[in-house]
Amino acid sequence: MLTRIWDPGLNPLTLRRFLPYVLAGLLASAIMMGWNIAFAQDDPTVEEVAATAATDVGNLTTMMAAFLVFFMQAGFAFLGAGLIRSKSTVNYMTKSFMDFAIASLSFWAFGFAIMMGASAAGIAGTDNFFLLNGGDDWQVYVDWMFQMVFAGTAATIVAGAVAERTKTQAYFAYSFLIGAVIYPLYGHWVWNGDGWLAALGAADYAGSGVVHAVGGFIALAGAAVVGPRTGKFNADGSANQLYGHNVPYVIIGTFILFFGWFGFNINTGDSIGLNAVNTLLAGATGAIVALYIQLIKSGKIDILMSCNGALAGLVGITAPVAYVDPWAAVVIGALAAPIMMISVSVIEKVLKIDDPVGAASVHGVCGLWGLLAVAIFASGNNGTTGLVGGSIDLLVPQLVSMAVVLAWALGTGFLMFFILKVGMGVRLTEEEELAGVDASEHGMEAYQMS
């Protein structure tokens, strides 16, 4: 009698169905064993894995911050367009879009190397032009992206101060120069570890001076050289109010800028939470204080002044954001609002300079306030101590940094605009200006009326 060689409960059809899965499992096991044998000697240590993870998370945070700052360009576009007349809307939006593109290329070609390259005597970087030294050092590209969006911000600050009467081609030219040379050089002095202001002890965490004061005082120089808009000043020197055309644009732009500022100020590290809180408190306080000052003066609630107050507070906190406690952020924002408002009045009524959006006051003057605030309110956070923390060591370096950025931005700004004025012209004709920059330079209008 023959004996069965398989269980009667199993049939050949069932075995054939499962056989491919069994073979696949054996093959996978063999591959994994071979991989482990081949590479067992290269397994990273726990410390190496932790360091790599920390670097990756830090880079991701930095890139997300860079993307937030990039989005601020939309905020500048809406804010500035809303504060000027409708006939210049296309032009302002064009400048906000193109200055970022142009500054990107100039910062790639020259600016990043000058700013963050190996330092020559603490004055300027000397290597990595066109990112040629990047290779497979991926960290270089993360650093470039983060620094580039700040360069674009410095360039776009100028647009508002010279709005409604400046030739677009001239604007493109100085956007290139700001990203290539002017912004990177002062940035090298402060943010490159070998820069001479950094060696002196000057502190500017996120750019009250490097970004905002540079952009703001170049804007002031540009507005002075280009001259006021037609109809801004009367023969006796008194100023007329040339109203903006879109309040919702201004409010939307301010919201976007406020949101993007968290990317501007948080950076990376243990103080991310502190930086975010200080940013919020300073901006909110500036908005409230400006609104109530204007209410006391005029009896009206002025949301436009409140928006500029928020931006003044944000600029003021940008340098000391990681060094001060939250109560100090409130004080910094509260003082930034009246500083901005007084500056707007002085620039218009005393200096007779037409700055349609208050760029020089919000970014330039409040940028100086931010640098001084470091010396006053730094409490020891992140190893930086000012008067509040019981040290006077920061006072001289911060005052020197303030004087240098003021002289550098105004000096290079006047020089650049005078060269452009002689070389290619910066001012539209009166006929072109009265018709509107949109019609004269673009041949299109923002609002098509049926």
Side-chain angles (χ1 to χ4, degrees):
M1 183 177 179
L2 297 174
T3 303
R4 294 178 185 273
I5 60 173
W6 64 77
D7 190 303
L10 296 175
N11 57 63
L13 180 60
T14 302
L15 289 174
R16 284 196 298 271
R17 287 176 177 172
F18 281 96
L19 185 59
Y21 299 102
V22 174
L23 293 175
L26 291 172
L27 179 61
S29 299
I31 292 173
M32 293 176 66
M33 290 176 63
W35 181 275
N36 288 334
I37 291 172
F39 295 98
Q41 67 272 23
D42 294 328
D43 284 347
T45 64
V46 173
E47 290 79 8
E48 289 171 338
V49 171
T52 300
T55 299
D56 291 344
V57 171
N59 284 341
L60 178 61
T61 305
T62 300
M63 293 302 287
M64 293 304 297
F67 301 151
L68 284 174
V69 178
F70 172 80
F71 188 52
M72 291 174 73
Q73 293 294 128
F76 280 113
F78 275 106
L79 175 74
L83 288 171
I84 62 177
R85 292 168 290 186
S86 61
K87 62 184 180 180
S88 301
T89 304
V90 172
N91 179 258
Y92 197 91
M93 292 286 191
T94 299
K95 289 175 178 176
S96 293
F97 186 82
M98 290 306 300
D99 62 24
F100 196 87
I102 292 168
S104 296
L105 289 180
S106 66
F107 194 71
W108 161 71
F110 308 109
F112 184 69
I114 291 172
M115 184 170 178
M116 304 307 295
S119 187
I123 303 299
T126 58
D127 65 342
N128 210 11
F129 290 93
F130 298 92
L131 288 179
L132 292 177
N133 298 350
D136 59 358
D137 182 1
W138 311 129
Q139 187 65 46
V140 170
Y141 304 115
V142 173
D143 295 341
W144 181 88
M145 186 67 194
F146 189 67
Q147 294 296 339
M148 189 277 125
V149 293
F150 283 75
T153 300
T156 206
I157 287 170
V158 184
V162 297
E164 298 202 83
R165 74 273 199 195
T166 306
K167 289 183 177 180
T168 307
Q169 292 288 359
Y171 183 85
F172 292 164
Y174 68 71
S175 295
F176 184 91
L177 292 172
I178 291 171
V181 181
I182 300 175
Y183 165 81
L185 275 172
Y186 180 76
H188 182 91
W189 303 339
V190 177
W191 280 351
N192 188 304
D194 295 324
W196 72 272
L197 282 174
L200 186 66
D204 183 357
Y205 185 81
S208 288
V210 174
V211 180
H212 295 284
V214 167
F217 288 115
I218 292 174
L220 183 64
V225 173
V226 174
R229 290 168 291 176
T230 300
K232 175 61 181 177
F233 293 107
N234 299 312
D236 62 358
S238 59
N240 297 311
Q241 185 69 42
L242 303 180
Y243 292 98
H245 83 285
N246 198 314
V247 173
Y249 272 13
V250 178
I251 298 170
I252 291 170
T254 305
F255 267 124
I256 293 173
L257 287 170
F258 208 141
F259 175 65
W261 228 289
F262 291 108
F264 213 98
N265 282 0
I266 62 171
N267 205 327
T268 59
D270 295 336
S271 66
I272 267 183
L274 174 68
N275 295 10
V277 168
N278 285 345
T279 300
L280 178 59
L281 290 175
T285 306
I288 294 168
V289 171
L291 185 143
Y292 277 100
I293 290 175
Q294 192 67 13
L295 178 62
I296 292 169
K297 287 175 59 180
S298 67
K300 303 293 182 182
I301 296 174
D302 188 343
I303 185 60
L304 299 181
M305 186 59 72
S306 183
C307 286
N308 260 359
L311 298 179
L314 291 166
V315 171
I317 196 60
T318 297
V321 65
Y323 309 136
V324 302
D325 295 326
W327 69 265
V330 173
V331 176
I332 291 167
L335 292 174
I339 288 171
M340 176 272 296
M341 296 173 77
I342 292 170
S343 174
V344 167
S345 181
V346 170
I347 288 173
E348 180 178 274
K349 296 178 180 178
V350 178
L351 301 181
K352 307 298 181 184
I353 295 175
D354 181 17
D355 181 355
V357 304
S361 300
V362 170
H363 298 280
V365 176
C366 290
L368 294 182
W369 163 234
L371 293 177
L372 182 61
V374 175
I376 298 172
F377 295 104
S379 60
N381 294 334
N382 285 293
T384 304
T385 306
L387 297 178
V388 165
S391 173
I392 64 170
D393 293 345
L394 274 175
L395 191 58
V396 170
Q398 294 305 105
L399 290 173
V400 171
S401 188
M402 291 167 65
V404 170
V405 72
L406 179 62
W408 174 251
L410 282 178
T412 56
F414 274 113
L415 177 63
M416 176 176 61
F417 275 97
F418 275 124
I419 291 173
L420 291 173
K421 183 176 182 179
V422 173
M424 62 187 302
V426 295
R427 181 72 188 243
L428 296 171
T429 66
E430 185 174 344
E431 292 76 16
E432 290 173 330
E433 183 185 346
L434 293 176
V437 194
D438 292 356
S440 60
E441 294 245 305
H442 302 276
M444 65 177 70
E445 298 176 356
Y447 311 103
Q448 299 298 328
M449 305 300 246
S450 60

